[in-house]
């Protein structure tokens, strides 16, 4: 089963991909992780990627598709893969389709995690984490039992991601709408697009995704 998870930043794609990987034996393909691994390996693709990134340039689609091709040829990808973060544009989607066709593979499903933009921003902007043990909290949905004290380790130090703010979210959502939303009609026309309620509880989102995959 080969799938793509689509959704704006903070929709929970990574969380769902990790669970699919753990429970269904699929391999999560993160383009960032693949780039770092390729650079570390010293492969030809890795050397090309390193040169490009050191110049501060964007890695071209052809190189990214090449990295994906190498990765899905490895034995642990036999049960399928989950793409999270790629493709982001229709050009990348077409390049991916072409590569999969040559490799004798195909995309089985593209799952869009639909979200309410205002509610998603509220969910992300309110996040904070214990600086000591990493336990996650939220200003509205999951406050510590004792204000200012971590439930798990008792630390009184908390931290926030710098990009968890309303202005950054606005920019990221605009980029998602401009670049990635055009993929929806592309995959819809091919009959592989399905939608789930990305604002539901994590277990419910997973149940919906599992139902889509079992009916593929």
């Amino acid at each position: 089963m080969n799938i793509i998870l689509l959704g704006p930043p903070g929709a929970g794609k990574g969380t769902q991909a990790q669970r699919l990987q753990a429970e269904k034996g699929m391999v999560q393909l993160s383009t960032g992780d693949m780039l770092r691994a390729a650079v570390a390996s010293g492969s030809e693709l890795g050397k090309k990627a390193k040169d490009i990134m050191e110049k501060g340039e964007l890695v071209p689609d052809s190189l990214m598709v090449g990295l994906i091709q190498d990765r899905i040829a490895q034995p642990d990808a036999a049960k399928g893969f989950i793409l999270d973060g790629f493709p982001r544009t229709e050009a990348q989607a077409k390049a991916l389709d072409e590569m999969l066709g040559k490799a004798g593979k195909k995309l089985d499903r593209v799952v869009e995690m639909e979200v309410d933009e205002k509610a998603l921003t509220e969910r992300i902007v309110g996040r904070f984490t214990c600086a000591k043990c990493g336990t996650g909290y939220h200003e509205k949905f999951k406050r510590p039992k004792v204000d200012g004290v971590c439930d798990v380790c008792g630390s009184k130090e908390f931290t926030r991601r710098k990009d968890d703010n309303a202005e950054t979210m606005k920019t990221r959502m605009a980029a998602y709408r401009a670049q990635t939303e055009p993929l929806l009609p592309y995959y819809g026309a091919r009959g592989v697009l399905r939608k789930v309620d990305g604002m539901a509880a994590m277990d419910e989102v997973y149940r919906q995704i599992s139902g889509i995959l079992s009916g593929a």
Side-chain angles (χ1 to χ4, degrees):
M1 181 69 63
N2 304 319
I3 71 169
I4 293 172
L5 290 180
L6 286 179
K13 301 186 297 295
T15 299
Q16 296 301 329
Q18 287 170 12
R19 189 163 173 183
L20 288 167
Q21 182 170 256
E23 297 186 16
K24 298 188 182 295
M26 301 165 76
V27 173
Q28 180 184 7
L29 304 184
S30 161
T31 50
D33 289 346
M34 283 190 291
L35 274 172
R36 286 186 286 273
V39 170
S41 73
S43 67
E44 283 303 310
L45 282 176
K47 289 174 184 175
K48 288 180 183 177
K50 184 179 180 182
D51 288 343
I52 292 165
M53 289 189 292
E54 284 179 347
K55 293 175 185 174
E57 298 172 357
L58 289 174
V59 175
D61 295 348
S62 58
L63 200 152
M64 284 308 312
V65 170
L67 288 176
I68 294 168
Q69 182 175 8
D70 286 354
R71 184 66 185 86
I72 64 176
Q74 295 176 24
D76 64 342
K79 290 186 178 180
F81 60 78
I82 309 149
L83 272 170
D84 165 18
F86 190 95
R88 293 183 186 273
T89 65
E90 189 172 326
Q92 290 176 348
K94 289 177 178 177
L96 178 67
D97 282 343
E98 187 177 342
M99 179 274 288
L100 290 173
K102 289 178 180 177
K105 299 179 184 291
K106 66 181 178 70
L107 279 175
D108 296 292
R109 287 290 177 259
V110 176
V111 181
E112 183 198 5
M113 298 175 66
E114 291 188 298
V115 299
D116 177 279
E117 189 171 328
K118 184 178 177 183
L120 179 65
T121 299
E122 181 182 50
R123 190 163 81 180
I124 289 174
V125 170
R127 297 189 299 196
F128 61 100
T129 306
C130 173
K132 187 175 181 182
C133 72
T135 300
Y137 296 97
H138 194 279
E139 290 173 356
K140 185 175 180 180
F141 307 119
K142 189 191 172 186
R143 296 193 65 84
K145 292 172 185 174
V146 178
D147 202 35
V149 181
C150 177
D151 297 345
V152 177
C153 72
S155 172
K156 295 182 179 179
E157 292 184 39
F158 296 90
T159 184
R160 292 176 185 268
R161 282 177 48 171
K162 288 182 180 179
D163 57 352
D164 281 357
N165 62 73
E167 197 55 41
T168 300
M169 273 303 298
K170 187 177 179 180
T171 302
R172 292 164 77 188
M173 288 297 297
Y176 173 75
R177 285 195 302 271
Q179 294 182 355
T180 311
E181 281 193 348
L183 292 175
L184 302 180
Y186 175 78
Y187 286 122
R190 295 183 52 216
V192 294
L193 181 67
R194 301 291 185 273
K195 299 174 185 287
V196 299
D197 178 9
M199 301 307 296
M202 285 189 291
D203 286 349
E204 172 58 18
V205 176
Y206 183 76
R207 186 193 69 76
Q208 290 180 40
I209 294 174
S210 294
I212 288 169
L213 300 191
S214 63

